[in-house]
Amino acid sequence: MKDARAGTAGFTTLQPLIWPEAGICTERGLYLRLQGAAGPAADDQGWRFPAGSGARFDTWFNLFNAGTWQRQCRLQSLHLLLEGEGCFAVTVFMALPQGAWQQQQHRAELAPGRPARLDLSALLAAAGQRGLIFFELQAADGPAALARAGWQTADAPRRQPGLALAVTTFRREAEAARTAERFAAFRAQSRIKAHLQLIVTDNGRTVDLPPRDGVTVIANENLGGAGGFTRGLLEARARGASHCLFMDDDASIHMGSLERTWMLLAYAEDPATAIAGAMISEQRRWEIWENGARFFTRCRPLHMGTDLRDFRQAADMEWEVSGPPPPQLYGGWWYFAFPLERAEHLAFPFFVRGDDVSFSLVNRFNIVRLNGVVSFQESFTEKQSPQTWYLDLRSHMAHHLSLPALDVGAWGVLKIAVWFFLRNLPRMHYGTLAAINLAVEDVLQGPEFFDAHADLVARRGDLKALAGDEAWQDLKPEADLPPLRREPPPAWLRHLMKLSLNGLLLPFYARIGRRITLEADCRDSLGHAWGAAEISYLNAALDKYYTVRHNKPAAWREIRRFAANARAFLKAYDGLAARYRGAYGRLTSEGYWRAKLAMDRPGEGLQQDPAA
């Protein structure tokens, strides 16, 4: 067993350990696994360990993915820094997907101002490009305390990134203010303070923040996320940043993610390296919703459903993530950091939805995913509406029409629209069917439509009117909802209902079909909808609902409309694809966006950085 005392030589913390945080995530098992009588310190700044108690850090937030760091950065040294009081017996493990694990035993004696640093360079070398490294500790000679810990290296960084966080907001003043406040507090004490700034693009022109160092507010035309994030990107370039981080305005992240991101960008061999943060639903904070995604005909979230409380599931995900990236990988703009010089194409004017997909696919980024870098979000399923289905379909079709690498031919693109339509027809979402038809009709107008309707003002009104029965309404105590269906009906009934298009081909189905209620998790499930003529959908909080009902005239009206749109699309495909491909470069150029956002107009934009 080795005795470790921290010296004074220069070391850099690559990944400070992250603790549970109120307002972000308090699922303790995602960060550490306490043993015995161990618990949080009285001041909530670390952990206390009575004699014999301990903790294990084989968790997604706090393990060290040596495979990722070795593949991307070729590190030569690795150390574990421990700060606190008392004596710990420390075991460090290196886990491979196959083969025996390795471990090292250490004794760490801590005192205020005297941390311990454990040399793990041998384990790093053994890990290669697949190993995961984590540790456990136990209070050895009496009570002990751990205040902070982190994974360090003695290697020198390759660059000093200037990272500009670009946040877009629209009439969410409280969220923007909280984000600015959290960022300013973090930046004030961060060792990379000089390399961080926050740019808030205010599409609603309603944000009024007190002056803070490193925070700038820019008043902007409301051209959605595409216009807002593009404005942030251009402002970051103008301010001399080397990298930009697109992030949501509520910044539901651990601020420690920013340091992890900056460090990997600083050490990465490939200057095109970008970092895509994962996403976790606020309803299930222990479960991955998406850790990167692929796009080909549909968005395909990666590692959805991974239970981070289970070490094996988290480890399997990390072993895969550390390998070569899958084809058509993209990063969502809830957290996406990238080098500005490699952004040859800016966003396509989608307004929202789909701009992040094409931005990742068309620019030559080396996209990396890093454990613990994640944004906690509202469930995408609960956000669904006729507008989101409209936006998703038109962006999906435009991607395949615009980018030669995604060419699937006329029938391949049409199948995407058919899939969207058939996902909603059995669920009786007739307003969404109308929105899907509208999306196809707008795509048929060519790229000129996106240019002319970059603000989506007219369409937003049209789509709001289509919501109708699909709009959420308050659930009152006296509401008499049908019985809750928790499981899909039997297979024989599902097959029968598929043959009848869920009763559309059966007479009097509105009278004989079941009336059911579905919870939020089942909202997008076709399996639960079969055999129902009326469905009431509940939200996750169980305080809102809406009800849809079987309606043959509405269904057949949209079916006939879709058939006509399909014929028109197949006939126009060749010329349409040529127009999209010909216009893509112009619609994603800096010149186009500077003109669209009126950036060269004198006095345009409002800056609130006293240091600017």
Side-chain angles (χ1 to χ4, degrees):
M1 181 176 291
K2 303 174 183 178
D3 179 66
R5 299 288 178 89
T8 57
F11 290 85
T12 302
T13 301
L14 302 174
Q15 284 189 193
L17 266 61
I18 294 175
W19 305 141
E21 181 180 353
I24 303 297
C25 181
T26 57
E27 293 281 342
R28 185 182 295 171
L30 307 188
Y31 303 84
L32 76 168
R33 307 181 206 277
L34 296 177
Q35 300 165 351
D43 60 0
D44 231 12
Q45 299 297 310
W47 308 90
R48 56 172 180 79
F49 296 91
S53 66
R56 192 175 176 96
F57 295 85
D58 58 341
T59 61
W60 186 69
F61 275 97
N62 287 324
L63 62 79
F64 186 81
N65 190 328
T68 294
W69 283 90
Q70 288 294 75
R71 179 180 291 274
Q72 303 300 330
C73 308
R74 308 290 179 185
L75 294 180
Q76 300 301 307
S77 64
L78 181 68
H79 298 75
L80 175 63
L81 182 74
L82 303 172
E83 299 180 69
E85 292 185 80
C87 181
F88 287 102
V90 183
T91 304
V92 184
F93 299 89
M94 191 278 292
L96 293 166
Q98 295 178 339
W101 292 9
Q102 296 187 27
Q103 60 180 270
Q104 288 183 359
Q105 304 289 334
H106 299 262
R107 180 181 177 87
E109 295 185 3
L110 314 180
R114 295 176 59 197
R117 182 176 291 113
L118 316 181
D119 187 350
L120 310 178
S121 300
L123 281 183
L124 178 69
Q129 296 187 2
R130 295 303 303 276
L132 306 178
I133 298 177
F134 56 90
F135 70 99
E136 68 177 4
L137 48 76
Q138 185 176 50
D141 299 333
L146 181 69
R148 285 170 296 277
W151 303 100
Q152 294 191 322
T153 187
D155 298 16
R158 291 182 169 84
R159 63 188 65 81
Q160 298 284 320
L163 182 60
L165 285 65
V167 165
T168 297
T169 190
F170 179 75
R171 295 181 183 173
R172 284 165 52 96
E173 299 84 359
E175 289 82 355
R178 275 197 303 272
T179 293
E181 183 177 2
R182 290 186 69 223
F183 171 79
F186 168 79
R187 181 179 181 272
Q189 53 78 44
S190 174
R191 59 211 160 99
I192 58 171
K193 171 182 177 179
H195 306 288
L196 295 177
Q197 60 177 304
L198 171 64
I199 299 168
V200 180
T201 303
D202 178 18
N203 281 358
R205 298 176 180 252
T206 58
V207 173
D208 184 18
L209 301 180
R212 290 188 174 91
D213 287 346
V215 178
T216 302
V217 179
I218 305 293
N220 194 50
E221 299 288 339
N222 183 23
L223 301 184
F229 282 116
T230 297
R231 181 64 181 268
L233 182 158
L234 295 175
E235 294 290 344
R237 278 181 175 169
R239 290 168 166 267
S242 63
H243 291 73
C244 188
L245 168 57
F246 288 164
M247 196 169 65
D248 278 347
D249 59 4
D250 57 2
S252 290
I253 63 167
H254 291 292
M255 285 292 163
S257 297
L258 300 179
E259 290 192 345
R260 295 188 181 191
T261 297
W262 191 92
M263 287 299 168
L264 192 131
L265 295 174
Y267 280 85
E269 280 192 318
D270 187 349
T273 296
I275 296 176
M279 197 264 268
I280 292 176
S281 169
E282 291 177 346
Q283 280 76 45
R284 301 173 70 87
R285 293 177 187 264
W286 61 88
E287 184 179 272
I288 289 288
W289 178 275
E290 175 179 314
N291 191 6
R294 294 182 58 212
F295 178 84
F296 194 78
T297 68
R298 294 198 301 276
C299 296
R300 304 169 190 268
L302 299 175
H303 307 289
M304 177 181 278
T306 298
D307 188 339
L308 298 177
R309 299 168 298 185
D310 183 328
F311 169 73
R312 187 69 200 196
Q313 290 190 43
D316 285 342
M317 177 176 71
E318 285 303 305
W319 282 319
E320 183 174 329
V321 161
S322 66
Q328 298 101 28
L329 178 67
Y330 74 91
W333 281 1
W334 50 78
Y335 195 104
F336 187 69
F338 58 92
L340 285 163
E341 69 175 3
R342 296 303 177 104
E344 299 174 8
H345 291 271
L346 308 185
F348 190 87
F350 283 125
F351 191 76
V352 293
R353 297 258 178 168
D355 38 14
D356 50 2
V357 174
S358 60
F359 185 76
S360 288
L361 297 183
V362 77
N363 290 307
R364 294 188 292 272
F365 298 131
N366 167 38
I367 298 177
V368 178
R369 292 158 288 171
L370 193 58
N371 63 291
V373 176
V374 63
S375 179
F376 294 86
Q377 299 275 318
E378 295 178 50
S379 168
F380 274 17
T381 300
E382 197 158 313
K383 291 180 181 179
Q384 286 180 357
S385 68
Q387 178 168 300
T388 62
W389 283 93
Y390 164 87
L391 293 167
D392 280 342
L393 176 56
R394 70 177 197 151
S395 69
H396 280 47
M397 297 179 74
H399 295 326
H400 283 280
L401 288 164
S402 302
L403 305 181
L406 296 180
D407 184 13
V408 292
W411 282 100
V413 179
L414 182 59
K415 285 179 182 177
I416 300 170
V418 170
W419 185 88
F420 272 64
F421 196 87
L422 293 180
R423 291 292 300 176
N424 286 280
L425 179 62
R427 295 168 56 240
M428 300 170 288
H429 282 58
Y430 304 119
T432 294
L433 294 180
I436 288 169
N437 271 313
L438 188 59
V440 178
E441 291 158 5
D442 287 348
V443 168
L444 278 165
Q445 295 186 55
E448 300 82 6
F449 175 85
F450 291 89
D451 180 22
H453 295 266
D455 60 4
L456 210 67
V457 170
R459 277 293 176 261
R460 277 182 279 161
D462 297 337
L463 293 163
K464 185 176 181 180
L466 291 177
D469 293 340
E470 300 172 40
W472 293 105
Q473 54 186 299
D474 292 336
L475 179 61
K476 298 178 180 179
E478 63 272 17
D480 184 21
L481 296 182
L484 191 65
R485 175 180 280 181
R486 298 187 182 278
E487 300 292 335
W492 68 266
L493 180 57
R494 296 200 303 272
H495 293 314
L496 176 63
M497 298 315 300
K498 287 177 184 179
L499 293 174
S500 70
L501 298 179
N502 206 24
L504 192 59
L505 303 179
L506 298 178
F508 310 113
Y509 184 71
R511 298 181 184 178
I512 62 176
R514 296 289 301 275
R515 286 158 176 75
I516 63 172
T517 298
L518 295 178
E519 292 182 319
D521 286 349
C522 301
R523 188 180 180 206
D524 198 33
S525 168
L526 273 183
H528 287 76
W530 297 115
E534 176 184 306
I535 306 176
S536 294
Y537 290 93
L538 295 169
N539 69 343
L542 304 180
D543 60 359
K544 294 184 182 298
Y545 80 107
Y546 69 87
T547 299
V548 293
R549 297 176 176 86
H550 181 81
N551 185 329
K552 280 185 171 61
W556 285 111
R557 179 180 65 246
E558 297 305 329
I559 290 172
R560 288 191 294 269
R561 182 181 172 188
F562 186 82
N565 287 333
R567 289 192 296 271
F569 178 80
L570 293 173
K571 183 177 180 180
Y573 175 78
D574 290 337
L576 197 62
R579 286 163 61 195
Y580 274 95
R581 292 175 188 179
Y584 190 87
R586 180 180 68 84
L587 295 179
T588 58
S589 68
E590 180 171 337
Y592 169 82
W593 276 108
R594 293 188 70 88
K596 204 74 175 174
L597 296 168
M599 288 183 64
D600 298 321
R601 183 189 305 162
E604 181 66 20
L606 174 65
Q607 300 187 352
Q608 294 187 6
D609 178 2

